[in-house]
Amino acid sequence: PAQASAAPVQAAPAPAAPVSPAPVGNGHGQAGGLVLAKPPVRKLAKDLGVDLTTLTGSGPLGSITREDVQQAASATPAAEPLTV
Amino acid sequence: MSEPNEATFDIVILGGGSGGYAAALRAAQLDLSVALIEKGKLGGTCLHNGCIPTKALLHAAEIADQTRESEQFGVKAELVGIDMAAVNSYKDGVISRLYKGLQGLVGSAKNITFVAGAGKLVGQNVVEVDGKRYTGRNVILASGSYAKSLPGLEIDGERIITSDHALTLDRVPASVIVLGGGVIGVEFASVWKSFGVDVTIVEALPRLVAAEDEESSKALERAFRKRKINFKVGKPFEKVEKTDNGVKLTISGGDTVEAELLLVAVGRGPNTANLGYEEQGVKMDRGYVLTDERLRTSVPNVYAVGDIVPGLQLAHRGFQQGIFVAEEIAGQNPAVIDEAGIPRVTYSDPELASVGLTEAKAKEQYGDKVKTYNYNLGGNGKSQILKTAGFVKLVRLEDGPVVGVHMVGARVGELVGEAQLIYNWEAYPAEVAQLVHAHPTQTEALGEAHLALAGKPLHSHA
Amino acid sequence: MSEPNEATFDIVILGGGSGGYAAALRAAQLDLSVALIEKGKLGGTCLHNGCIPTKALLHAAEIADQTRESEQFGVKAELVGIDMAAVNSYKDGVISRLYKGLQGLVGSAKNITFVAGAGKLVGQNVVEVDGKRYTGRNVILASGSYAKSLPGLEIDGERIITSDHALTLDRVPASVIVLGGGVIGVEFASVWKSFGVDVTIVEALPRLVAAEDEESSKALERAFRKRKINFKVGKPFEKVEKTDNGVKLTISGGDTVEAELLLVAVGRGPNTANLGYEEQGVKMDRGYVLTDERLRTSVPNVYAVGDIVPGLQLAHRGFQQGIFVAEEIAGQNPAVIDEAGIPRVTYSDPELASVGLTEAKAKEQYGDKVKTYNYNLGGNGKSQILKTAGFVKLVRLEDGPVVGVHMVGARVGELVGEAQLIYNWEAYPAEVAQLVHAHPTQTEALGEAHLALAGKPLHSHA
Ligand SMILES: Cc1cc2nc3c(=O)[nH]c(=O)nc-3n(C[C@H](O)[C@H](O)[C@H](O)COP(=O)(O)OP(=O)(O)OC[C@H]3O[C@@H](n4cnc5c(N)ncnc54)[C@H](O)[C@@H]3O)c2cc1C
Ligand SMILES: Cc1cc2nc3c(=O)[nH]c(=O)nc-3n(C[C@H](O)[C@H](O)[C@H](O)COP(=O)(O)OP(=O)(O)OC[C@H]3O[C@@H](n4cnc5c(N)ncnc54)[C@H](O)[C@@H]3O)c2cc1C
């Protein structure tokens, strides 16, 4: 246990989020129009050039899974890989 | 910190340790009114008799060892001795600074009423303290744990002691028997050895830290052997006798060990006796409070958190459960806690750290789909600089995520932060492998293990 | 390790440092044939004259400090002195173990031909070494960097030295001026101070480690002031003279400093002169090789990696770029590297670690959407145990991910592994906050900062 009364609080963030019945989620994005996907899945989507907001998630709570992203990526033609 | 008579709160919390105070602080943020009842000191076991004092001792121990071995690094120094009074005042200084901070946090939370005194559950939603009754729309049981003993073992606080006594010892004993090779036992063994004590661990299970992955146990045993920490595993203790200068312990089979002190570290029992839990209908099992995965007991609106709930007895599990219950009561519908996702650290020298499943557990659950990789710290530059040995072992599912991370070596406890994200976010080895780690750090060992599992080892053979 | 005449390879790599050897190893895994040309020692700057030796010195320095301050922890010890010969043999031992390991890896890779000698690009796809020509379907330029000097500063290797000389010094000097307050400068300043040297850093920019977040610089300066490391920032050096016993440096404005030695640590320049790059049409800028984000130079099938490519001069950036180019050549179409996602560590005491954007950069890019939070290590139990001061600072976008993490304090370099996942995976504070960190570790400070930014501080005020 610890404390930080001495901590120089910089820009104070918003106070405790208002109580809302929205599920906090399971490591997925927060509420507020954000896409529900675990961070590595969001990164994968970025690497593959997939726009997450265009997908409907098949995971828990409608979250987007790795498979959703991969499917979307194989549906759209990826950047032409360079040949040796 | 007023003490109202017959007051009603959104939540009444029984116990102000890790679980209880975390629940109180989070509930207060969510605008719930809280009565936090504590008979001892706010902060509980962890702050006053657990995590913090042991880790202070372990750091003093590290400094003693580094001084002893400083010539290997070109630093000429002489270790004169351990000044236990000074060690204790360093340790107590850390505790009291953190204690003050915590008191400040709880004290400044407008909707927390701190109640000093011993509470008892006298109704399904009523806790009584010194004749006053605190009614809660919800009640959280958080009364924590105590050091257990075994039949035939009478703790006298002098020669036969628990961690509570060990933490206030005013001298460095010549020799100690540590009964119990779990986390607490090996941590004390490690400290004492560094302080120059002759230490023998006696453990009934076949290996030290038996809850960890078998390879971690083996590595710890190897390191302890090198440090000349004696240990006898696989046979239960039979009896203990007092001798002229200390104690004599007999192990099943007849083997005996003598020492000045016996530390009993055979686990922690739930602190639930005579607190009214059973009388009010709370379902229990061998003293533990049974809950569902949302930490609800069998009585409506009564929750339990921390060491009284079967599972890992760790402070940060208490934090997490406390926060969970506060959010649950506030209607936030938080996600269920994955117990395997809670990181585990043993702060001995070497340290052990893990998260997720052991290889054995993973194989039980997933069979042949389980693949492992063990990256030896011998290939890790920073670990070589620290002159530490050990490994990072990954357990993954074929074509699937990492389901377990196990580490041994100096300072690996700090690597579990990253490992915890990997496990809980169900990352694939290739996803971690893509992010090359800072050189030269020990985190690179985690990186290399993922690189190897992704089929692209950098500083190792596949 | 045969040396074929006029041989052709899938890839010819010029330079066997971090960037070059990583490319070679990855290419070999992908079944490409490689000629790896190295005029000095495999491993390059980082292993022999950079990362590894400096970190060994820094660890010896840590041990010296801990011994000096051991009484604060109850350990009575006496620091007798620094034995530089022993320090150097410890340091050289670490290097040679890692060097052997690396030679083993490269040597056992069937399709890597290691070529000892100085190479020159004599055709767009041909490197010549000692009269022999190595043709590559692809060429990777990886010739690294050297310690720069400034006009009027003649490095004599005796009194006016670079890091190369500093790493083989056989004595502890009485006093040193460090010209340059970047990473390398502050690391040497830190080592020497721990060894008992009177140190003064002279930096033309307004603050030490000016590439870091301003708060990190300020915290380092505060810590250095406490350690009595002198520094003068904001004014360029004007001239240097030799004195009877050392050197006298004049700073613009007239201020002077005298010392036994002057370490010139004003940056590293690309090692690209007379290597044929320009002649073969490779576009350059002030000696650096220009590439696109896929590390292609202006010449088809010629790539560049490591310190010769403008950007962070870090070993693991070289690894990552080397791996990238090998995969690119193999047609794997790897994801472009986000330079800001490469973790940065300064291994001084205290350490600095960061990943992502500084607050200033983030505000340039995102304006008012940027929010920050600074968690003071005063509230972190493990940091209190280590008696270190510092912070974890987060930079996030409102309702968006964490875009920068900045940390100061003992051992925080190891926390950047976790921070790196958070930044690169674009995690939201709430996603990290959900995962409660192991207690008591320094990773908790990262956790607390995310808890606070998620609106649910545990051990701090919001
Ligand atoms: C030696 C040792 C080392 C440890 N090291 C670590 C470690 O490094 N990391 C880690 O995560 N965990 C560690 N632990 C475990 C950790 O301390 C516990 O998991 C944690 O304290 C559990 O929190 P809790 O809130 O359930 O119980 P406790 O912290 O035990 O708190 C319970 C509180 O309830 C109070 N209480 C009990 N009954 C009543 C009553 N009737 N009325 C009012 N108040 C009451 C008690 O006084 C106490 O303050 C260690 C434990 C020990 C013993
Ligand atoms: C004192 C110091 C401390 C440092 N600490 C760190 C640290 O802690 N962490 C970190 O990440 N980075 C650190 N660095 C930076 C790091 O060393 C470099 O970023 C890294 O070495 C760059 O790798 P490279 O492959 O581009 O170049 P280099 O490692 O310089 O390798 C280039 C290689 O090419 C060879 N070569 C050059 N020309 C030719 C030729 N014509 N023919 C054949 N071979 C040739 C050279 O001999 C050399 O081996 C440090 C640097 C210094 C100087």
Side-chain angles (χ1 to χ4, degrees):
Chain A
Q3 59 110 18
S5 46
V9 175
Q10 257 248 318
V19 180
S20 79
V24 170
N26 208 341
H28 307 294
Q30 348 165 260
L34 196 103
V35 184
L36 286 175
K38 288 191 181 181
V41 177
R42 287 205 296 271
K43 170 78 163 93
L44 177 71
K46 197 177 176 195
D47 288 350
L48 297 176
V50 173
D51 179 0
L52 280 184
T53 58
T54 64
L55 303 188
T56 3
S58 65
L61 303 166
S63 63
I64 294 165
T65 66
R66 191 173 271 108
E67 290 68 38
D68 295 337
V69 171
Q70 263 148 2
Q71 241 169 43
S74 53
T76 47
E80 200 55 30
L82 299 181
T83 39
V84 181
Chain B
M1 298 195 190
S2 66
E3 296 198 3
N5 237 321
E6 291 279 347
T8 295
F9 298 85
D10 289 325
I11 313 182
V12 171
I13 302 175
L14 186 51
S18 310
Y21 82 70
L25 291 169
R26 183 70 185 123
Q29 285 160 11
L30 295 168
D31 282 331
L32 300 169
S33 65
V34 175
L36 179 60
I37 300 167
E38 169 57 53
K39 71 173 180 187
K41 284 182 182 162
L42 179 67
T45 304
C46 176
L47 176 54
H48 301 285
N49 313 299
C51 326
I52 296 299
T54 49
K55 269 79 251 181
L57 293 185
L58 281 155
H59 186 58
E62 179 184 331
I63 287 180
D65 281 333
Q66 291 199 337
T67 307
R68 198 178 277 120
E69 293 153 19
S70 66
E71 306 235 341
Q72 293 182 23
F73 303 93
V75 177
K76 283 187 292 186
E78 212 185 316
L79 178 59
V80 181
I82 305 299
D83 174 354
M84 267 320 287
V87 170
N88 284 325
S89 85
Y90 150 62
K91 180 195 72 177
D92 295 340
V94 174
I95 294 173
S96 75
R97 249 190 328 278
L98 295 170
Y99 183 36
K100 250 190 220 118
L102 182 60
Q103 285 176 307
L105 280 175
V106 169
S108 68
K110 272 195 230 75
N111 28 6
I112 299 178
T113 302
F114 183 81
V115 182
K120 185 170 177 169
L121 196 67
V122 295
Q124 289 208 334
N125 60 348
V126 186
V127 177
E128 193 175 290
V129 184
D130 295 330
K132 294 179 196 139
R133 295 161 66 89
Y134 300 84
T135 301
R137 282 177 274 274
N138 302 273
V139 172
I140 303 177
L141 308 177
S143 48
S145 62
Y146 64 93
K148 277 198 302 200
S149 187
L150 293 176
L153 257 184
E154 205 191 321
I155 308 293
D156 64 10
E158 294 290 334
R159 294 198 207 165
I160 305 182
I161 64 176
T162 69
S163 59
D164 290 337
H165 312 104
L167 285 171
T168 55
L169 222 57
D170 58 3
R171 69 187 195 284
V172 178
S175 57
V176 179
I177 303 166
V178 175
L179 186 63
V183 176
I184 294 176
V186 304
E187 287 187 356
F188 273 104
S190 187
V191 167
W192 273 320
K193 184 68 200 183
S194 301
F195 285 176
V197 180
D198 185 19
V199 179
T200 305
I201 305 171
V202 174
E203 167 62 57
L205 292 173
R207 52 189 170 99
L208 298 180
V209 290
E212 293 292 331
D213 190 275
E214 197 165 340
E215 285 190 77
S216 298
S217 292
K218 291 298 157 216
L220 181 70
E221 290 179 358
R222 208 173 308 125
F224 271 19
R225 232 174 263 126
K226 248 180 114 174
R227 291 186 63 196
K228 302 206 163 41
I229 295 176
N230 309 302
F231 55 90
K232 296 167 184 288
V233 295
K235 283 184 193 152
F237 125 99
E238 197 169 276
K239 65 173 180 199
V240 82
E241 295 150 287
K242 294 202 183 169
T243 62
D244 282 354
N245 322 308
V247 292
K248 178 172 154 187
L249 183 126
T250 308
I251 301 168
S252 171
D255 214 358
T256 63
V257 201
E258 292 196 48
E260 185 181 327
L261 281 182
L262 172 65
L263 171 71
V264 179
V266 295
R268 310 234 348 136
N271 187 11
T272 54
N274 308 317
L275 296 182
Y277 297 177
E278 268 150 325
E279 291 89 320
Q280 299 307 325
V282 175
K283 272 221 189 97
M284 319 268 293
D285 179 26
R286 273 163 290 185
Y288 286 96
V289 175
L290 295 179
T291 71
D292 64 10
E293 59 172 20
R294 302 198 78 79
L295 300 169
R296 290 181 288 220
T297 70
S298 56
V299 175
N301 300 321
V302 176
Y303 299 82
V305 300
D307 282 5
I308 60 172
V309 180
L312 292 169
Q313 291 178 319
L314 291 173
H316 47 287
R317 173 175 174 263
F319 296 153
Q320 195 161 7
Q321 292 183 334
I323 293 169
F324 176 95
V325 170
E327 293 181 348
E328 178 83 351
I329 289 171
Q332 291 210 330
N333 194 25
V336 166
I337 298 167
D338 173 8
E339 184 99 358
I342 296 170
R344 306 166 295 258
V345 180
T346 303
Y347 298 80
S348 49
D349 172 27
E351 289 188 352
L352 267 65
S354 64
V355 66
L357 308 179
T358 62
E359 180 176 349
K361 265 267 170 60
K363 284 190 167 152
E364 242 175 68
Q365 215 162 311
Y366 299 106
D368 283 354
K369 283 180 60 183
V370 173
K371 302 286 160 219
T372 67
Y373 184 84
N374 188 313
Y375 182 81
N376 193 297
L377 292 187
N380 176 258
K382 177 70 189 216
S383 298
Q384 289 305 298
I385 286 168
L386 296 176
K387 288 187 182 278
T388 190
F391 60 78
V392 170
K393 173 177 172 172
L394 298 185
V395 183
R396 77 168 298 189
L397 304 186
E398 206 165 3
D399 301 319
V402 174
V403 297
V405 183
H406 304 276
M407 304 181 281
V408 180
R411 305 188 185 182
V412 298
E414 296 296 340
L415 305 187
V416 86
E418 180 175 358
Q420 168 179 27
L421 299 193
I422 292 168
Y423 171 84
N424 284 288
W425 287 344
E426 300 177 15
Y428 280 45
E431 291 169 329
V432 179
Q434 204 186 351
L435 305 172
V436 178
H437 286 65
H439 182 77
T441 61
Q442 290 186 291
T443 67
E444 282 184 295
L446 258 176
E448 294 282 348
H450 285 88
L451 280 160
L453 266 189
K456 44 192 264 191
L458 178 57
H459 290 106
S460 69
H461 294 277
Chain C
M1 298 195 188
S2 65
E3 295 196 4
N5 237 321
E6 292 279 346
T8 296
F9 299 85
D10 289 325
I11 314 183
V12 171
I13 302 175
L14 186 52
S18 310
Y21 81 71
L25 290 169
R26 183 69 186 123
Q29 286 160 12
L30 294 168
D31 283 330
L32 300 170
S33 64
V34 176
L36 179 61
I37 300 167
E38 169 57 53
K39 71 173 180 188
K41 285 183 181 160
L42 178 67
T45 305
C46 176
L47 177 54
H48 302 284
N49 312 299
C51 326
I52 297 299
T54 49
K55 270 78 249 181
L57 292 185
L58 281 155
H59 187 57
E62 179 184 331
I63 287 180
D65 281 332
Q66 291 199 338
T67 307
R68 198 178 277 121
E69 292 153 18
S70 66
E71 304 235 343
Q72 292 182 25
F73 303 94
V75 177
K76 283 186 294 186
E78 214 185 316
L79 177 60
V80 181
I82 305 299
D83 175 353
M84 267 320 285
V87 169
N88 283 325
S89 84
Y90 150 62
K91 180 195 71 176
D92 295 340
V94 173
I95 294 173
S96 75
R97 249 191 327 280
L98 295 170
Y99 184 35
K100 250 188 219 118
L102 182 60
Q103 285 176 308
L105 281 176
V106 169
S108 67
K110 272 196 232 72
N111 27 6
I112 300 178
T113 302
F114 183 82
V115 181
K120 187 172 174 166
L121 197 66
V122 296
Q124 288 209 336
N125 60 347
V126 187
V127 177
E128 193 175 290
V129 183
D130 294 330
K132 294 179 197 140
R133 293 162 67 91
Y134 299 84
T135 302
R137 281 177 276 274
N138 303 273
V139 172
I140 303 177
L141 308 177
S143 46
S145 62
Y146 65 92
K148 277 197 303 200
S149 188
L150 293 176
L153 257 184
E154 204 192 319
I155 307 293
D156 64 10
E158 294 289 332
R159 294 199 208 162
I160 304 183
I161 64 176
T162 69
S163 59
D164 291 336
H165 311 105
L167 285 170
T168 56
L169 222 57
D170 57 2
R171 68 187 195 284
V172 178
S175 57
V176 180
I177 303 165
V178 176
L179 185 63
V183 176
I184 294 176
V186 303
E187 287 186 356
F188 275 103
S190 187
V191 168
W192 273 320
K193 184 68 201 184
S194 301
F195 285 177
V197 179
D198 185 19
V199 179
T200 306
I201 306 172
V202 175
E203 166 62 57
L205 292 173
R207 52 190 170 98
L208 298 180
V209 288
E212 294 292 331
D213 191 275
E214 197 165 339
E215 283 191 77
S216 299
S217 291
K218 290 296 157 217
L220 181 70
E221 291 180 358
R222 209 174 306 124
F224 271 20
R225 232 173 264 125
K226 248 180 114 177
R227 291 186 62 197
K228 302 205 164 43
I229 296 175
N230 310 302
F231 54 90
K232 295 167 185 288
V233 295
K235 283 184 193 152
F237 124 101
E238 196 169 276
K239 66 172 181 200
V240 82
E241 295 151 288
K242 294 203 184 169
T243 62
D244 283 353
N245 321 309
V247 291
K248 178 172 155 189
L249 184 127
T250 308
I251 303 169
S252 170
D255 215 355
T256 63
V257 201
E258 292 195 46
E260 186 182 328
L261 282 182
L262 171 66
L263 171 70
V264 179
V266 296
R268 311 238 343 141
N271 186 10
T272 53
N274 307 317
L275 296 182
Y277 298 176
E278 267 149 327
E279 291 89 320
Q280 298 307 325
V282 175
K283 270 219 191 100
M284 318 267 295
D285 180 25
R286 273 163 290 184
Y288 286 96
V289 175
L290 295 179
T291 71
D292 64 9
E293 61 174 16
R294 302 198 77 80
L295 300 169
R296 291 180 288 220
T297 69
S298 56
V299 175
N301 299 320
V302 176
Y303 300 81
V305 301
D307 282 6
I308 60 171
V309 180
L312 292 169
Q313 291 179 318
L314 291 173
H316 47 286
R317 172 175 174 264
F319 296 154
Q320 194 162 4
Q321 292 183 334
I323 292 169
F324 176 95
V325 170
E327 294 181 349
E328 178 83 352
I329 289 171
Q332 293 209 330
N333 196 25
V336 166
I337 298 167
D338 173 8
E339 184 99 358
I342 296 170
R344 307 166 297 257
V345 180
T346 303
Y347 298 81
S348 49
D349 172 28
E351 290 189 352
L352 267 65
S354 64
V355 66
L357 308 179
T358 62
E359 179 176 350
K361 265 268 171 59
K363 285 189 166 154
E364 244 171 57
Q365 214 162 311
Y366 300 105
D368 283 354
K369 283 180 60 183
V370 173
K371 303 286 160 217
T372 68
Y373 185 83
N374 187 311
Y375 183 81
N376 192 296
L377 293 187
N380 176 258
K382 178 69 191 216
S383 297
Q384 288 306 297
I385 287 168
L386 297 176
K387 288 188 183 278
T388 190
F391 60 77
V392 170
K393 172 178 173 173
L394 298 185
V395 182
R396 77 168 298 190
L397 304 186
E398 206 165 2
D399 300 318
V402 174
V403 297
V405 183
H406 304 276
M407 304 181 281
V408 180
R411 304 187 186 183
V412 299
E414 296 295 341
L415 305 187
V416 85
E418 179 175 359
Q420 167 178 28
L421 299 193
I422 292 168
Y423 171 83
N424 284 288
W425 288 346
E426 300 183 8
Y428 282 55
E431 292 171 328
V432 179
Q434 206 186 350
L435 304 171
V436 177
H437 286 65
H439 183 76
T441 61
Q442 290 186 291
T443 66
E444 283 184 295
L446 258 175
E448 295 282 349
H450 285 88
L451 280 160
L453 266 189
K456 44 193 267 189
L458 177 57
H459 291 107
S460 70
H461 295 279

